[in-house]
Amino acid sequence: MHNHRMRTTVTLDDDAYELAMLCAKGKGITLGAALSEFARKAQEARLAEPSPSPRLKRLPNGLLVARARGRVITTEMVKAALEEYDD
C-alpha cells in the first residue's frame, strides 16, 4: 500500500465522470480526491458485507478465506505424504 500521493491517468465512463465532477465541485475538492473518497467508501461497504458462508471469513483487506478447521497441516507433513506416495 502506498502512503504517498500517486499520479495516474484513468478512463471513466461519462456518467461516472459527471458524478465524480459534481461531487468534487460540490465539496470544493479535486477530481482525484473525489475518486479516492469513492474508492474508500466502496471498500468500507464491501468490508461491512456479511460473509456469504459461515465457512468463510473476511480478512481486513476484504479477501474471503476459508476458516480454519481441524488440525494444521505443516510442510513437513506434506513432504512425508509425498514421500509415502512416491514409494
Side-chain angles (χ1 to χ4, degrees):
M1 180 179 209
H2 296 281
N3 291 329
H4 59 279
R5 291 180 174 222
M6 288 181 43
R7 185 177 183 100
T8 190
T9 301
V10 296
T11 303
L12 300 173
D13 293 336
D14 291 339
D15 60 332
Y17 174 76
E18 287 178 34
L19 177 64
M21 281 303 294
L22 284 171
C23 178
K25 286 180 182 179
K27 291 184 173 187
I29 59 178
T30 65
L31 176 61
L35 293 173
S36 293
E37 187 176 299
F38 288 159
R40 287 187 195 99
K41 285 184 180 181
Q43 176 68 356
E44 287 171 10
R46 194 168 131 228
L47 290 174
E49 290 176 0
S51 172
S53 167
R55 292 183 178 178
L56 299 175
K57 70 176 181 177
R58 193 173 299 279
L59 297 179
N61 65 1
L63 184 66
L64 285 172
V65 296
R67 291 186 184 274
R69 299 184 328 188
R71 63 185 181 143
V72 174
I73 299 175
T74 65
T75 305
E76 290 76 22
M77 294 165 75
V78 172
K79 287 179 184 176
L82 287 173
E83 287 173 4
E84 242 181 72
Y85 179 76
D86 286 341
D87 290 342

